[in-house]
Amino acid sequence: MTKFSDTAPILVTCPRDMPEYLQAELTALGFARTIPLDAGVEVHGSLDDCMRLNLWVRTGHRVLFELKRFRAFDADELYCEVKRIPWEEYIPGDGYFRVDASVRDTTVNDARFAGLRVKDAVADRFTELTGARPDSGPDTGGVCLFLHWRENRATLYLDTTGEPLPRRGYRKRPHKAPMQETLAAACILAANWPERARQGGHFIAPMCGSGTLPIEAALMAMNGAPGLLRDDFAFMRVIGFDPEAWDGLLGRAEDAEVPEIKGRIIATDHDPEAIAAARDNARLAGVGDFIEFQVCDFTETEVPEGPGVVMLNPEYGIRLGEIESLKAVYKGIGDFFKQRCGGKTGFIFTGNMDLAKCVGLRTRRRRVFWNAKIECRLLEYELYAGTKKGGDPR
């Protein structure tokens, strides 16, 4: 039977340009040695650690527990190496499993074919041992495997997550062009919001859409584990999973929540349907009592006295809206920052730097993020209470 205490490398995947935020999360979770990669961070731990990571990680997508690294020059060698793994220790004989694969620069150009060879190897091992085999297919409702194959180097993982971590479970009403939860969390961490929240700062989210930014900010402020919002992970189907150990993790996470936060979280949008969706999503996320929602133009958003973060995610003319009409919107954001947000730190997330120039303020810092295939920037503005000479963001 699989021992959840056995240790191996663990790869937590994330979008490119996010590993530094994921690495900071993993360090805070107590992993002393973290190795940042192009699209993830590697640590060393057990399947018990994988459970904790799935519960707490905000900026990662999948938690992959390494089973075997090996050389494979072709599909036949891949099959032989995979077949040697004692799958009967991981997958119930009457269970179900899924295989995903990522291949590049190999003798196999089709990831689906590579995944099929892995399935064949697993099934054939069971058939030879027991005369029967577990079912397999595309669903994530069983044990999930992931093959990473580059040139002749292959690594096979247990995908302990299943449905990706950004699917927290609260966004039942996504409205239009929503920001992915992982991306929102990374932007909020880049704004140093958790520390600002502990100090009583405010989080203001004009143009909130379906509410992803304020919801993720509220979860951080209350120290809410994002995995508490889900009731299913792939590790639950691995042989040796202990439901009582998982319940203990859930109980400790619930005990760690802060019952009230010091500052205010304010979310506005001019679209009543967006605010209705955001309210519902916040309620499902368990943070409805922490967020103040209002239907209004962003320029009319209440900005309370004291330090805090003002973060906007305006349209940027690639998926929604027209460039010319958006120029006035970006200029209006600059005016809103200057006239209403003195003493705060402003942030604009955009994929259009030409439109960003219309803000008319000099950026303090710019961070690169990718929204799907669109290269974007999180622009930071120090908004002084007095007057400060500015210029175009460069």
Side-chain angles (χ1 to χ4, degrees):
M1 186 171 71
T2 306
K3 294 181 180 178
F4 268 55
S5 58
D6 290 347
T7 61
I10 298 171
L11 174 61
V12 186
T13 67
C14 68
R16 51 183 165 169
D17 295 309
M18 280 195 205
E20 69 169 288
Y21 306 103
L22 176 58
Q23 185 178 23
E25 281 198 86
L26 299 181
T27 300
L29 287 171
F31 291 90
R33 184 170 178 266
T34 58
I35 304 173
L37 306 170
D38 289 340
V41 178
E42 187 177 280
V43 296
H44 200 87
S46 65
L47 283 169
D48 283 327
D49 290 317
C50 290
M51 294 198 301
R52 189 162 59 93
L53 288 167
N54 277 290
L55 179 59
W56 280 102
V57 164
R58 303 180 192 279
T59 58
H61 276 203
R62 295 182 185 277
V63 180
L64 306 176
F65 182 80
E66 185 177 307
L67 295 177
K68 186 176 184 179
R69 294 189 190 192
F70 54 92
R71 297 274 183 174
F73 290 87
D74 56 34
D76 289 338
E77 283 193 294
L78 173 70
Y79 171 90
C80 292
E81 291 290 344
V82 173
K83 192 177 177 184
R84 292 190 182 103
I85 298 173
W87 293 111
E88 63 278 5
E89 296 181 6
Y90 298 96
I91 305 172
D94 59 351
Y96 179 95
F97 71 99
R98 165 192 171 121
V99 180
D100 289 296
S102 173
V103 303
R104 192 173 66 228
D105 302 326
T106 71
T107 55
V108 173
N109 338 354
D110 188 348
R112 291 171 297 180
F113 179 69
L116 180 61
R117 293 302 283 156
V118 172
K119 284 183 183 179
D120 289 343
V122 175
D124 290 349
R125 181 180 177 94
F126 269 97
T127 302
E128 291 178 8
L129 287 174
T130 67
R133 51 152 292 180
D135 290 333
S136 61
D139 295 339
T140 57
V143 175
C144 295
L145 310 178
F146 181 76
L147 170 70
H148 184 271
W149 192 11
R150 298 290 184 268
E151 296 180 337
N152 61 1
R153 298 182 300 275
T155 309
L156 197 59
Y157 298 93
L158 273 179
D159 175 359
T160 67
T161 304
E163 287 294 313
L165 291 175
R167 297 175 190 170
R168 312 269 202 246
Y170 66 73
R171 202 165 69 183
K172 302 298 185 184
R173 295 180 61 178
H175 202 53
K176 58 183 180 181
M179 177 182 278
Q180 190 179 60
E181 293 88 334
T182 302
L183 177 57
C187 290
I188 294 164
L189 289 171
N192 196 28
W193 165 243
E195 179 60 29
R196 296 174 190 262
R198 284 191 289 271
Q199 296 174 358
H202 309 296
F203 189 94
I204 300 101
M207 300 182 179
C208 74
S210 57
T212 309
L213 280 169
I215 290 171
E216 292 293 323
L219 284 170
M220 290 185 199
M222 66 175 288
N223 196 37
L228 282 172
L229 307 175
R230 288 176 47 159
D231 57 8
D232 184 79
F233 293 95
F235 61 75
M236 295 175 174
R237 265 83 63 186
V238 177
I239 290 175
F241 167 65
D242 182 356
E244 290 186 3
W246 176 240
D247 287 342
L249 284 174
L250 297 180
R252 289 189 289 277
E254 290 171 350
D255 291 342
E257 291 180 348
V258 176
E260 59 184 41
I261 59 179
K262 296 179 181 179
R264 296 170 64 187
I265 299 177
I266 298 171
T268 69
D269 200 284
H270 71 279
D271 184 351
E273 290 187 10
I275 290 297
R279 286 184 190 276
D280 286 348
N281 293 337
R283 176 180 52 80
L284 289 170
V287 296
D289 292 341
F290 294 116
I291 305 174
E292 304 170 41
F293 291 103
Q294 183 182 3
V295 178
C296 67
D297 187 78
F298 74 90
T299 59
E300 299 170 356
T301 300
E302 179 185 0
V303 182
E305 293 292 327
V309 170
V310 185
M311 187 172 289
L312 297 91
N313 176 26
E315 298 173 15
Y316 35 89
I318 295 175
R319 289 178 172 167
L320 298 168
E322 297 294 331
I323 298 294
E324 288 304 314
S325 62
L326 287 173
K327 288 181 179 178
V329 173
Y330 279 73
K331 181 182 182 301
I333 293 173
D335 293 340
F336 173 67
F337 277 170
K338 287 183 286 188
Q339 297 166 10
R340 302 282 307 283
C341 303
K344 307 290 191 296
T345 305
F347 293 88
I348 299 174
F349 182 86
T350 181
N352 192 321
M353 288 304 294
D354 288 333
L355 284 174
K357 294 177 182 177
C358 298
V359 174
L361 298 172
R362 186 174 296 280
T363 55
R364 180 172 181 265
R365 186 178 291 115
R366 298 183 300 170
R367 298 174 177 86
V368 176
F369 288 104
W370 287 82
N371 187 2
K373 295 182 179 180
I374 303 170
E375 185 176 347
C376 300
R377 298 288 188 281
L378 180 67
L379 308 175
E380 179 179 345
Y381 302 87
E382 196 66 39
L383 307 176
Y384 296 93
T387 59
K388 184 83 173 178
K389 188 176 180 179
D392 289 339
R394 296 175 186 263

